[in-house]
Amino acid sequence: MTEKYDLHCHSNASDGVLSPRELVIRAKNKGVTTLSLTDHDTTDGLNEAQLVAQDQGIRLIPGIELSVTWQNKTLHIIGLNINPDNQALSEGIKNLQILRQDRAEKIAKKLAHKKVIGALEAVEKSAGKGMITRTHFADFLLEKQLVNSQQDAFDKYLGKGKPAFVATEWTDMETAISLILQSGGLPIIAHPLRYKLTASWMRRLLSAFKELGGVAIEVVTGRSNPDEIAIAGKYAKDFQLSGSVGSDFHSPNNVWVELGRLANLPADIKPVWNLLP
Ligand code: AMP
Ligand code: MN
Ligand code: MN
Ligand code: MN
C-alpha cells in the first residue's frame, strides 16, 4: 500500500467543522495512511482521534498548531508528535487559551461598535468547548449576511487593520519551540509563504527558527502550486530543514482543500516523517 501523509488539519476542537471522529474517518476514506490532527492551541481532540484511528487502522500522530508572535508578526508553528499529557505543554497552552477568550471578547466589542450585536454569544455557542477563532466570527458574519464569504469577512472586518481586528501578543517563538521539544515533538513552521514575508525576513525567520531547535517547514500545503512548492523547497534546503506536507483541511465545504489531496514532496527534500520514531 502506498503511504499517504497529511500532517496538518483541524477538527471542531478549534476551527474545523468535523469532529475528531468524523475527520479521521474522512481521512481514511480519502486514502490517508498517516494523519496528524493539529488544532489551534489545543490538544482536546486528540484522544477521540486516537481511539477512532486505532479502530479504523490509520496512523494518527498527535499534533498542535501554536499561535506565535515573532517580531510583531503572527506565525503558526506545528508541533508534530507531541505528548498531550506533557505538563509543560499543557500549562503553556493554557495561556494561549486565555488569550483566545480575551481576544474574542474584544473582537465582539469592536463588532458591537459597528452595530453587529450578539457576536460573542454566537461564537461561544458555535465553538462549544473548542477554541474560539476568527473563523467562528467569519461564519457568524456570513450567517448574518453581512459578508458574502469567509474571505470577505476577513477583508471587511477581521483582517489586520480592519475594524474588528484585535492585535494579540501570542506566545513567543522560543517558548513555543521549547514547549514542543519538551513534549517530545518536532517543531515545524506552518504554511511559510502565507506570512507574505520578504526573502530577507524569511531568511531571518528560518535562521532564528533553526537556532531555537526548529526542524522542518511545510513545503506542500493543500493550496500550494508548483512555484510555491519550489520556493518553499529551496528554503528547506538552504536552511537544512526537513519538509512537511499538510492540507490544513478545515471543512468539507471548502472544495479547494481536501484531506490527503496534496502534491508530492519533492524528491530532494528530506521528509519530516523520517524523524518520527
Ligand atoms: P485566528 O488564529 O483565530 O486568528 O484565526 C486564524 C484562522 O482563520 C486561520 O487558521 C484560518 O483558518 C482562518 N483564516 C485566516 N485568514 C483567513 C482568510 N483570509 N480567509 C478565510 N479564513 C482565514
Ligand atoms: Mn484555522
Ligand atoms: Mn495556520
Ligand atoms: Mn492550520
Side-chain angles (χ1 to χ4, degrees), residues 111-250:
L111 285 172
H113 282 300
K114 291 274 149 195
K115 309 259 183 296
V116 183
I117 308 302
L120 188 63
E121 295 70 19
V123 297
E124 283 182 333
K125 185 154 185 267
S126 64
K129 288 188 195 134
M131 296 292 99
I132 302 176
T133 71
R134 283 184 293 167
T135 309
H136 295 95
F137 284 98
D139 288 342
F140 166 73
L141 292 165
L142 199 50
E143 244 168 62
K144 285 235 155 189
Q145 298 186 315
L146 292 163
V147 296
N148 44 45
S149 66
Q150 275 191 357
Q151 180 61 49
D152 195 29
F154 280 84
D155 293 345
K156 290 205 175 97
Y157 291 95
L158 302 168
K160 196 168 182 175
K162 305 301 170 185
F165 180 76
V166 174
T168 306
E169 185 81 18
W170 303 107
T171 194
D172 59 76
M173 187 157 71
E174 182 171 3
T175 306
I177 291 175
S178 146
L179 291 174
I180 293 166
L181 292 173
Q182 281 179 77
S183 73
L186 302 168
I188 304 171
I189 295 182
H191 41 65
L193 303 187
R194 215 184 291 166
Y195 311 121
K196 307 253 186 299
L197 302 181
T198 60
S200 67
W201 270 109
M202 187 69 93
R203 283 193 290 271
R204 243 172 280 174
L205 168 62
L206 295 175
S207 47
F209 174 71
K210 170 119 184 161
E211 182 92 357
L212 293 168
V215 301
I217 63 174
E218 277 179 358
V219 170
V220 179
T221 78
R223 302 203 63 171
S224 307
N225 64 41
D227 289 345
E228 291 165 337
I229 294 171
I231 293 166
K234 182 160 186 333
Y235 281 123
K237 277 188 284 183
D238 287 351
F239 288 84
Q240 291 172 296
L241 292 161
S242 295
S244 187
V245 305
S247 63
D248 205 3
F249 176 88
H250 285 75

Side-chain angles (χ1 to χ4, degrees), residues 55-66:
D55 209 48
Q56 296 282 320
I58 144 169
R59 184 183 186 202
L60 191 281
I61 311 285
I64 193 164
E65 181 173 18
L66 294 177

Side-chain angles (χ1 to χ4, degrees), residues 49-88:
Q50 194 65 265
L51 289 171
V52 178
Q54 272 155 24
D55 209 48
Q56 296 282 320
I58 144 169
R59 184 183 186 202
L60 191 281
I61 311 285
I64 193 164
E65 181 173 18
L66 294 177
S67 307
V68 169
T69 298
W70 176 76
Q71 304 278 329
N72 263 325
K73 303 168 206 310
T74 299
L75 308 174
H76 287 171
I77 297 188
I78 301 272
L80 186 69
N81 200 34
I82 45 129
N83 172 7
D85 298 325
N86 178 271
Q87 204 175 344

